[in-house]
Amino acid sequence: MTGDPVNRTSNQTERILAGIAHLVPLLGFLIPVGNFVIANVLAPLGLWLGVRKQSPYIERHAREATNVQITLSILLALDNILFEGGVRHLGVFLLVALYALFAGARAALKAYRGENYKYALSLPYLR
């Protein structure tokens, strides 16, 4: 996780959209509608696909948000397979949800400030 300035010349709209890329997936944890994995991954992925050629700043943040959401979705899928409900399952889900909430909020704040953010629990699926 770095807080290095990336592009202080990015305009406010770019910074807001970059922050949204980190916040929108959290709605899947707060408002469970259908399969939250689809919402969590598709929201930042759609933003990444839509603006990756127009704004390197938004592209960088949307890619990072997508990568972490894919990683968290895999962790939750493994949790479902390994623990099949019960206290352990609930514990892992709560840990993943809390990490997603706090790291996502911090990433959105960094994005709005014009800074880079690298999630600690993220594998680079999109490059």
Side-chain angles (χ1 to χ4, degrees):
M1 292 182 268
T2 62
D4 302 329
V6 174
N7 184 3
R8 291 288 181 190
T9 61
S10 63
N11 65 36
Q12 187 174 12
T13 303
E14 286 180 320
R15 292 184 290 124
I16 289 171
L17 286 174
I20 287 173
H22 296 287
L23 290 177
V24 168
L26 301 180
L27 293 176
F29 285 105
L30 300 175
I31 306 168
V33 177
N35 189 349
F36 75 91
V37 172
I38 293 173
N40 287 5
V41 173
L42 288 183
L45 179 63
L47 186 60
W48 179 72
L49 290 172
V51 299
R52 66 181 174 179
K53 303 224 189 269
Q54 298 153 356
S55 172
Y57 184 72
I58 299 171
E59 184 271 334
R60 185 172 28 255
H61 280 279
R63 180 182 59 225
E64 187 66 28
T66 302
N67 283 335
V68 77
Q69 291 303 322
I70 292 171
T71 303
L72 295 178
S73 296
I74 290 171
L75 285 173
L76 289 176
L78 288 173
D79 171 46
N80 283 331
I81 292 168
L82 294 175
F83 299 120
E84 298 178 14
V87 174
R88 288 185 190 163
H89 171 70
L90 181 61
V92 171
F93 177 80
L94 287 175
L95 284 175
V96 169
L98 287 173
Y99 174 77
L101 287 171
F102 288 112
R106 184 163 189 234
L109 183 60
K110 295 276 188 177
Y112 184 73
R113 290 180 179 164
E115 300 172 354
N116 236 356
Y117 187 80
K118 177 80 173 122
Y119 287 92
L121 296 176
S122 179
L123 299 174
Y125 300 102
L126 302 177
R127 295 178 193 248

